[in-house]
Amino acid sequence: LELYKGVEPNGAVVKYAIGYMNFQVIIHRDRFPDEAAQMVRNESIKRIDQAYDVIAQAEAEIPKTVWMNLPQEDTAEYDKMLRKVRLSLLDDGVFDERAIKLMKAIRCRVDATRAECAS
């Protein structure tokens, strides 16, 4: 991402996850056996730790002096704003309940101290 261009000389990388990447696989059902979809899901789950390792490695390559933590009150405001966005997307039919639960699980895995992770 060429982050160095944004952090030199006085920038920073904010330690706050704004978005999460996902992927979807669309197949022609008539060309694959019925169990293919479950096989893809199972394989994805088996590799989730590998994906987190890739992320950890990429983050480790960013110099510690460049990271910036947001003040807690700013983080709380961002959390509220993004919650509203998620609920709006749920209401609009863009997300379904399973997507909301999955994204919460990811947020809580990344930061178990979040208020939403207590429930």
Side-chain angles (χ1 to χ4, degrees):
L1 294 174
E2 299 181 331
L3 290 175
Y4 64 92
K5 289 182 178 180
V7 298
E8 294 174 357
N10 298 315
V13 176
V14 175
K15 188 88 170 165
Y16 182 84
I18 293 176
Y20 299 93
M21 302 300 290
N22 68 47
F23 70 95
Q24 296 178 4
V25 177
I26 301 170
I27 64 172
H28 291 276
R29 285 184 167 201
D30 59 334
R31 297 182 189 174
F32 293 89
D34 290 341
E35 60 275 1
Q38 188 61 48
M39 182 186 71
V40 170
R41 285 190 288 274
N42 292 345
E43 195 62 30
S44 297
I45 290 168
K46 283 195 308 193
R47 295 176 185 258
I48 192 77
D49 289 330
Q50 183 180 3
Y52 279 110
D53 290 344
V54 169
I55 294 166
Q57 176 63 38
E59 288 183 348
E61 292 174 7
I62 298 172
K64 289 182 180 13
T65 57
V66 174
W67 285 106
M68 178 182 124
N69 290 309
L70 292 173
Q72 193 161 3
E73 56 274 4
D74 290 352
T75 300
E77 287 302 313
Y78 279 118
D79 288 346
K80 286 181 197 173
M81 177 187 67
L82 292 172
R83 181 178 186 276
K84 286 181 184 178
V85 169
R86 287 189 299 273
L87 293 176
S88 174
L89 291 170
L90 179 64
D91 290 343
D92 292 345
V94 176
F95 287 160
D96 71 17
E97 196 72 33
R98 292 173 296 181
I100 297 293
K101 288 178 182 177
L102 176 61
M103 288 187 292
K104 177 182 175 184
I106 292 168
R107 287 190 304 277
C108 291
R109 181 174 179 160
V110 171
D111 181 5
T113 66
R114 300 172 67 96
E116 68 180 319
C117 301
S119 60

